[in-house]
Amino acid sequence: GLPMVIAIAEGSFDDLAAYANETGLPVPVFADTQDVFRNQFELHNVPTVIGVRTNGTIAFIRHGISEDFTPEAAKALMLNPG
């Protein structure tokens, strides 16, 4: 598979899509309206950004989104999560 970076957040799909468009968020955003991700992965802070390697392991978990979270920052975290 391909490496993937996704954001998981509360709220309706429409609200999150508008937020992503307004802020230029560089990753797909999933609306966790049923708390599936929050419960399965014990996410206590949303939005949460998760980087997944091609082998399915998690490269990083980042709580919150800020202006400095760019595609380059996500790539750096995927390559060197420490």
Side-chain angles (χ1 to χ4, degrees):
L2 295 173
M4 183 183 325
V5 178
I6 61 170
I8 300 165
E10 293 178 307
S12 72
F13 176 78
D14 291 339
D15 290 343
L16 295 177
Y19 173 78
N21 286 333
E22 289 172 15
T23 62
L25 190 65
V27 298
V29 180
F30 290 89
D32 193 15
T33 59
Q34 304 282 322
D35 291 333
V36 173
F37 285 102
R38 287 186 62 166
N39 292 333
Q40 184 170 348
F41 297 105
E42 298 180 17
L43 301 177
H44 302 289
N45 299 312
V46 289
T48 296
V49 180
I50 302 173
V52 183
R53 295 183 189 98
T54 56
N55 65 4
T57 60
I58 294 176
F60 69 88
I61 298 174
R62 178 185 173 121
H63 302 291
I65 298 171
S66 62
E67 290 179 3
D68 65 338
F69 187 72
T70 63
E72 293 80 19
K75 182 178 179 182
L77 287 169
M78 291 294 283
L79 296 175
N80 185 15

